[in-house]
Each structure stands twice: as structure tokens, then as C-alpha cells.
């Protein structure tokens, strides 16, 4: 094998470029799962982080092959166990009922839904498809914003977890400016 000197690089073949392009396309959609003959695609909406550990709840829009929201199950939620090994794990029934679950109501058109988190029922989250992306919009600090993260600060009180505050994080829909709002329970 010839010795490679500084400044030289190996050529990437057309086949390798094609494989990299396909991989990049799959990663941009984030996930693809094969279920029987169909393909389920999802696109990230927002996450919930807690101060207690690095595990994160992800909320994703489930898409049909043509890019619309899947009317059978438009939104899914699951854990990414970052404090452990990074695996994906379903929410338990207790977590769905009391903390991280949600209810969905169909909006005015086929690609719009109102999402109500169990723990934040007073705040509507409007999920809609705009162009090639699906976004979650809500009011943050009195302004319309795309929601990207909810941070929950928890402390122990007499050995039991108590929420100190919830912080909504996103970007202003009109300006793109980062925006935050801290909410006390």
C-alpha cells in the first residue's frame, strides 16, 4: 500500500458519495422504522428535560410517506435514556397519565393538531406542517413561538420531588429570536 503524505487524501468514489447522501437524508428525517409493508417517519417537535438526570422525553410528529401528519397517530412521545446507555424507551402508563402524556385534537386542516400536555393543560400547543417541516407553536412570554424545549427544575421536599419551575424555550415565529418563559406551578 503506498504511503500517504500530509496534504493527500483518498478519493471518495461516486458510490460512497451516494451512500453518504442517503445516510444524510435519513438522518435529517431522524428515524425510519419498517412496519410490515409501510414506513413510519418522524420529525422532532420538542423535548422535555428535567434537572434530576440527563434522560429526555422527545415529542415527534409522525409523518406519512408524502410528508403529511399521520392521522392515525400524529404525535409520539418517548424517553431517550441519556443518563444510562442512550436507548429509546416508551413512557410508562403512569408517566403518560400524570406527567408526560398528551391529548390531541384535530385542527382545521389535515396537517394541524392541538396538543395538550397532561402537566400543562392550560397551554395549547399547535402542531402544523409548514412546507417540508412540522413545528410546535405556543405562546412563550406572550409571543407566538416555535417550542423547542421545556425544562423542568425539580427539587426534593421531605424526600418527594417537587417542581420548582418550568421553563419554556423556543424561537419567536416572526423574528426567529430566541425566547424563554419561566412558569411557576
Amino acid at each position: 500500500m503506498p504511503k500517504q503524505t500530509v496534504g493527500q487524501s483518498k478519493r471518495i468514489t461516486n458510490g460512497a458519495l451516494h451512500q453518504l447522501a442517503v445516510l444524510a437524508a435519513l438522518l435529517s428525517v431522524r428515524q425510519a422504522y419498517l412496519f410490515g409493508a409501510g414506513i413510519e417517519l418522524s420529525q422532532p417537535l420538542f423535548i422535555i428535560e428535567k434537572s434530576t438526570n440527563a434522560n429526555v422525553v422527545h415529542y415527534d410528529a409522525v409523518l406519512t410517506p408524502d410528508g403529511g401528519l399521520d392521522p392515525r397517530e400524529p404525535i409520539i412521545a418517548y424517553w431517550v435514556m441519556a443518563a444510562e446507555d442512550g436507548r429509546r424507551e416508551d413512557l410508562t402508563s403512569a408517566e403518560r397519565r400524570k406527567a408526560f402524556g398528551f391529548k390531541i385534537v384535530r385542527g382545521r386542516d389535515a396537517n394541524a393538531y392541538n396538543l395538550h400536555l397532561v402537566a400543562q393543560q392550560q397551554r395549547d400547543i399547535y402542531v402544523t406542517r409548514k412546507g417540508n417541516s412540522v413545528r410546535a407553536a405556543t405562546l412563550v412570554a406572550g409571543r407566538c413561538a416555535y417550542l423547542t424545549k421545556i425544562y423542568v427544575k425539580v427539587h426534593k421536599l421531605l424526600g418527594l420531588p417537587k417542581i420548582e419551575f418550568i421553563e419554556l424555550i423556543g424561537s419567536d415565529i416572526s423574528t426567529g429570536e430566541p425566547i424563554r418563559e419561566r412558569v411557576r406551578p
Side-chain angles (χ1 to χ4, degrees):
M1 178 175 242
K3 188 174 179 182
Q4 194 171 1
T5 60
V6 175
Q8 285 184 319
S9 64
K10 294 183 179 181
R11 291 185 83 181
I12 298 176
T13 66
N14 283 343
L17 283 175
H18 175 73
Q19 290 174 344
L20 286 173
V22 169
L23 179 61
L26 285 174
L27 290 175
S28 70
V29 174
R30 184 135 189 206
Q31 301 170 18
Y33 296 99
L34 294 177
F35 290 107
I39 295 177
E40 178 187 306
L41 302 171
S42 65
Q43 189 175 90
L45 291 172
F46 62 94
I47 61 172
I48 295 181
E49 290 181 350
K50 301 178 299 143
S51 62
T52 54
N53 61 38
N55 298 335
V56 179
V57 179
H58 286 249
Y59 293 81
D60 290 359
V62 178
L63 306 176
T64 58
D66 68 352
L69 285 162
D70 188 335
R72 294 170 297 162
E73 185 178 38
I75 299 162
I76 57 173
Y78 56 91
W79 284 103
V80 172
M81 307 305 279
E84 299 171 18
D85 56 6
R87 74 184 179 283
R88 179 176 164 159
E89 190 174 289
D90 290 337
L91 300 176
T92 66
S93 61
E95 289 167 340
R96 284 192 305 273
R97 277 192 326 272
K98 297 183 180 214
F100 304 109
F102 57 89
K103 294 179 183 170
I104 303 170
V105 178
R106 189 174 202 136
R108 288 186 291 256
D109 64 53
N111 283 308
Y113 291 86
N114 288 314
L115 180 137
H116 302 277
L117 294 173
V118 171
Q120 278 284 315
Q121 291 184 17
Q122 68 276 14
R123 190 170 305 247
D124 288 339
I125 300 172
Y126 187 67
V127 177
T128 186
R129 178 179 170 196
K130 297 274 186 194
N132 290 332
S133 65
V134 179
R135 306 294 297 265
T138 192
L139 286 179
V140 178
R143 294 161 50 189
C144 291
Y146 291 126
L147 183 64
T148 55
K149 184 189 325 184
I150 298 173
Y151 176 76
V152 182
K153 173 68 173 159
V154 178
H155 68 274
K156 296 273 185 173
L157 183 64
L158 301 173
L160 298 172
K162 179 166 172 60
I163 296 174
E164 187 176 325
F165 65 84
I166 298 167
E167 190 165 29
L168 302 161
I169 302 166
S171 60
D172 185 288
I173 289 176
S174 300
T175 66
E177 171 188 337
I179 189 168
R180 295 172 174 260
E181 177 184 1
R182 193 172 279 190
V183 179
R184 303 241 179 237

